[in-house]
Amino acid sequence: MDGKTIAPKNTMAKIYTIIGFLIALSIGLVCVDNIIHDRMKFRDKAVSNVEQTWGKAQTIGVGRLEYREGKNEKDMATISYNSVNTITNAEAKVELKKKGIYKVPVYTVNIKQKGEFDINKTNAKKAAFKINVSDKRGFATKPVVKFDNKIAKDCNSSRCIVDIYEGKIPYEIEYTVRGTKALSFDAINTSETYLKTNYWVPEYTGDFSPVEHKAKDGGYYTYWSVPEAASATEDGYRTLAYTSNFINTVDVYRMTERCVKYGFLFIALTFLAFFVYEIINKNKRLIHPFQYSLIGISMLVFYLLLLSMSEFINFGFAYLTAAIMTIGLIVSYTYFVLTNKEDKKFPLAIGGILGVIYLYLYITINLEELSLLAGSFGLFFTIIAVMYATRNVEWYKENQ
């Protein structure tokens, strides 16, 4: 049979060595992952510091009445009464507040809310009208309350003392509040919320999806509508809500972490390319295990380069820069050291292979739901390429 040959003992020894390096480099990937989580802790600490001075993620509740009934003081009980129908108009100005190297999304939102209470029977004459905001430290203006079509005067940032009676009592509130990262609205009884923001497309979470959301008037408009039948809970205590999250469109730590998860696979594919080169090249020039380790370590450094640069510049540009630096290093090492300029095709081939690997990795981490599909097809075509490249190798013959 007229094929290329390779010594089985040398081949198996090299395979075991490569596997050993892959295991060692897997430990290195774990260390990189730990570094990512450490940086995330620093980021979370910066967010916490901003929250302490600016205001936490706010939840805007509906108006609520609290009053006592009973003839004797000891028999008095506190009764809470939520507004029956509520319409909230919110206009949020979102900006990125810098804390060290981190940029934290913060907002100032103007709230205009109106609704009504439907009181069937009561002996009380006075009640506390409560203004529902989760973090009252975020108040930027004193709330203005109009209760029963009259301006309430006995007020602070938490409540107003108002006169009540049986029947339907309308109310209106207006105030400005500050918060960080997310803005939520309670869904109690029948509620409608109109939110306008200058922010790019938000992320929606919570118990209800928006009925409508679109770009409008140089900003973004969102509308929620929740009927009483949908907002009622069986236990009567749990409150449902809907949320608009003002997050960075690309979380560099999450994206880098996803890259690291593919790290073992792509280091293995690179080693495979060099190993296939060894067994099929005519000169039988061997690559020393130490040289394999240098190539593997340089691929580990890629993730550190990506992480460190993405904290300061756009993730895509950071990825491109780190990939070019890593590919350039490995191709130069291959050309000047491994082949001693004897073979120009292999360094170019390695550059092409690495370029495809890093491009494939970038596409895969951005696909999210389709990442498994892309990964499985990529591996399938990789196996085809290896089968084709080693088709003439006679594995059980000694070198001549």
Side-chain angles (χ1 to χ4, degrees):
M1 192 172 182
D2 187 20
K4 301 177 181 65
T5 62
I6 190 76
K9 291 182 180 180
N10 292 339
T11 302
M12 292 310 299
K14 182 58 66 68
I15 290 174
Y16 292 143
T17 301
I18 291 174
I19 291 174
F21 279 130
L22 286 173
I23 294 173
L25 291 170
S26 296
I27 298 173
L29 287 171
V30 173
C31 294
V32 172
D33 191 61
N34 289 335
I35 292 173
I36 294 173
H37 283 88
D38 285 341
R39 301 303 296 177
M40 291 175 70
K41 289 179 182 177
F42 283 120
R43 187 270 314 273
D44 293 341
K45 185 177 180 180
V47 172
S48 179
N49 288 337
V50 171
E51 287 178 337
Q52 292 300 317
T53 56
W54 187 269
K56 296 182 180 180
Q58 295 285 8
T59 299
I60 307 300
V62 302
R64 188 175 71 196
L65 286 179
E66 289 188 355
Y67 52 89
R68 295 179 182 274
E69 290 196 26
K71 295 181 180 180
N72 299 319
E73 184 69 26
K74 62 175 66 176
D75 296 329
M76 288 185 180
T78 299
I79 299 174
S80 293
Y81 204 98
N82 292 312
S83 56
V84 178
N85 300 297
T86 308
I87 299 176
T88 304
N89 285 279
E91 187 167 347
K93 180 182 179 182
V94 185
E95 57 186 301
L96 295 177
K97 191 174 182 65
K98 196 168 183 180
K99 186 68 176 179
I101 65 171
Y102 303 102
K103 294 180 179 179
V104 183
V106 299
Y107 59 84
T108 302
V109 59
N110 181 252
I111 301 292
K112 295 181 179 179
Q113 186 182 95
K114 62 182 180 178
E116 66 178 12
F117 297 97
D118 190 1
I119 302 176
N120 296 323
K121 185 178 180 181
T122 181
N123 294 320
K125 301 301 181 182
K126 296 282 186 179
F129 176 83
K130 303 209 71 173
I131 302 163
N132 265 333
V133 173
S134 59
D135 185 8
K136 291 182 171 56
R137 293 175 305 168
F139 272 116
T141 63
K142 183 178 179 180
V144 177
V145 177
K146 184 183 287 187
F147 191 84
D148 194 18
N149 299 314
K150 295 177 288 187
I151 298 293
K153 296 182 179 180
D154 189 5
C155 294
N156 56 35
S157 62
S158 299
R159 64 179 188 170
C160 299
I161 303 301
V162 295
D163 298 323
I164 63 170
Y165 53 84
E166 294 179 7
K168 294 184 178 180
I169 307 176
Y171 76 88
E172 295 180 23
I173 319 172
E174 183 174 356
Y175 58 87
T176 301
V177 68
R178 301 188 303 186
T180 304
K181 295 196 306 181
L183 177 62
S184 301
F185 301 89
D186 282 343
I188 298 175
N189 296 319
T190 299
S191 61
E192 292 181 85
T193 300
Y194 302 83
L195 172 64
K196 182 181 178 183
T197 175
N198 63 325
Y199 198 71
W200 49 92
V201 182
E203 175 189 71
Y204 302 109
T205 56
D207 298 296
F208 301 98
S209 297
V211 175
E212 185 181 1
H213 55 96
K214 62 183 179 181
K216 183 179 180 181
D217 300 332
Y220 210 77
Y221 165 84
T222 310
Y223 168 62
W224 291 269
S225 179
V226 181
E228 183 177 1
S231 64
T233 56
E234 292 182 2
D235 53 24
Y237 295 100
R238 186 171 63 91
T239 300
L240 303 179
Y242 35 85
T243 302
S244 179
N245 296 295
F246 306 117
I247 58 174
N248 290 325
T249 52
V250 177
D251 185 333
V252 297
Y253 301 108
R254 182 176 62 87
M255 298 291 282
T256 306
E257 190 175 30
R258 294 187 68 187
C259 289
V260 172
K261 289 179 180 178
Y262 290 91
F264 179 86
L265 174 62
F266 289 105
I267 293 174
L269 289 176
T270 305
F271 280 5
L272 180 62
F274 280 97
F275 177 70
V276 169
Y277 164 75
E278 282 194 84
I279 64 175
I280 67 174
N281 95 85
K282 296 178 181 179
N283 298 324
K284 300 295 182 295
R285 187 177 186 85
L286 299 179
I287 301 174
H288 193 274
F290 180 72
Q291 294 172 320
Y292 270 103
S293 69
L294 289 178
I295 294 169
I297 291 171
S298 67
M299 296 191 73
L300 280 182
V301 173
F302 162 78
Y303 299 104
L304 295 177
L305 289 170
L306 174 61
L307 176 62
S308 60
M309 287 190 291
S310 63
E311 289 184 327
F312 295 93
I313 60 176
N314 176 270
F315 180 83
F317 187 68
Y319 187 95
L320 176 64
T321 305
I324 290 175
M325 291 174 66
T326 304
I327 293 171
L329 175 63
I330 294 176
V331 169
S332 299
Y333 186 71
T334 303
Y335 179 66
F336 290 105
V337 180
L338 299 185
T339 63
N340 285 332
K341 302 181 183 179
E342 297 171 358
D343 184 0
K344 295 182 179 179
K345 292 183 179 179
F346 181 64
L348 292 176
I350 282 295
I353 291 170
L354 289 173
V356 170
I357 286 175
Y358 283 109
L359 176 61
Y360 173 68
L361 174 59
Y362 186 77
I363 293 173
T364 301
I365 63 174
N366 281 280
L367 286 176
E368 296 192 2
E369 289 88 355
L370 299 177
S371 59
L372 179 60
L373 180 66
S376 57
F377 270 86
L379 284 175
F380 179 76
F381 289 115
T382 299
I383 293 171
I384 291 176
V386 174
M387 286 180 173
Y388 180 80
T390 59
R391 66 193 184 282
N392 293 323
V393 175
E394 297 185 17
W395 298 91
Y396 288 101
K397 283 190 177 183
E398 297 289 339
N399 281 336
Q400 301 297 323

